[in-house]
Amino acid sequence: MNKILVINGPNLNRLGVREPAVYGTDNLQNLEERLQRAGRDHEVEVECVQSNHEGVIIDWIHEADEKFDGIMINPGAFTHYSYAIRDAIASISVPVIEVHISNVHKREEFRHHSVTAPVTHGQIVGLGLYGYELALHALLQLRGEIK
C-alpha cells in the first residue's frame, strides 16, 4: 500500500475546541501529524483532508478510487443521514474504514445509526484519536501489508 486518504467531515476542524470532554483536547493538526508519522513507519503516504461540505467529501471519495489504496473516513454528522456519501463509498473499489472519536452508541439516539457503515470494510468507534491509528493498521492488514 502506498497512499491512504484520511477524510474528516464537518466540525472536525474544531477538534480541541469543540466539546473537549467528548472529543479530547488534541487538535486536527496534531492528529494529522500523528497519522503521517505512523504512515512513514509503515512506508505509507498519508494525505489528510477536512471539509464541512458534503459535495467536497463526495468528490474526494470519487477521486480516491484512482489515486489511493485505502480511505479512512470520519463523516461526522453526515454518518447518520448522508446517503450521497454512502453511495460514493459504495461506488469505489478501495477499502474504506469508518472512524469515530467518541462512542456514538453511548451518545444521543440519532448517533446510534450509521448509513455509511454498511458500505465500509469496518467501523472503529469510541477509542479517541487512537481509532485512526487502528484504522491505518486495518487498511494495511486488508492489503496483506501487516499481519
Side-chain angles (χ1 to χ4, degrees):
M1 179 174 289
N2 299 321
K3 292 178 78 172
I4 293 177
L5 179 63
V6 179
I7 301 174
N8 279 296
N11 299 310
L12 286 152
N13 58 309
R14 305 285 297 158
L15 276 179
V17 176
R18 174 186 175 220
E19 300 179 78
V22 174
Y23 299 105
T25 56
D26 222 345
N27 63 34
L28 184 60
Q29 181 179 348
N30 289 343
L31 169 62
E32 291 174 348
E33 290 169 358
R34 184 169 155 179
L35 289 171
Q36 289 164 342
R37 269 193 312 275
R40 283 192 298 275
D41 291 345
H42 293 284
E43 299 178 0
V44 175
E45 181 183 338
V46 176
E47 183 175 321
C48 301
V49 293
Q50 186 279 327
S51 181
N52 296 317
H53 305 281
E54 184 178 34
V56 172
I57 293 169
I58 292 166
D59 289 342
W60 286 332
I61 293 168
H62 291 167
E63 292 166 8
D65 201 25
E66 296 179 16
K67 293 170 45 177
F68 292 88
D69 300 298
I71 299 172
M72 66 180 82
I73 185 169
N74 183 339
F78 289 137
T79 302
H80 316 295
Y81 66 89
S82 180
Y83 292 100
I85 290 176
R86 180 236 176 263
D87 289 348
I89 294 169
S91 79
I92 64 173
S93 61
V94 298
V96 178
I97 304 289
E98 183 176 309
V99 179
H100 295 284
I101 296 166
S102 68
N103 183 346
V104 294
H105 304 290
K106 291 176 77 173
R107 299 186 62 202
E108 303 92 340
E109 183 70 29
F110 76 90
R111 296 185 195 276
H112 296 185
H113 180 71
S114 169
V115 299
T116 52
V119 293
T120 67
H121 281 75
Q123 183 188 58
I124 299 170
V125 302
L127 300 176
L129 300 185
Y130 181 59
Y132 287 84
E133 291 179 50
L134 292 174
L136 174 64
H137 286 226
L139 288 168
L140 292 169
Q141 189 173 43
L142 283 169
R143 298 278 303 208
E145 305 276 330
I146 62 172
K147 296 193 186 260

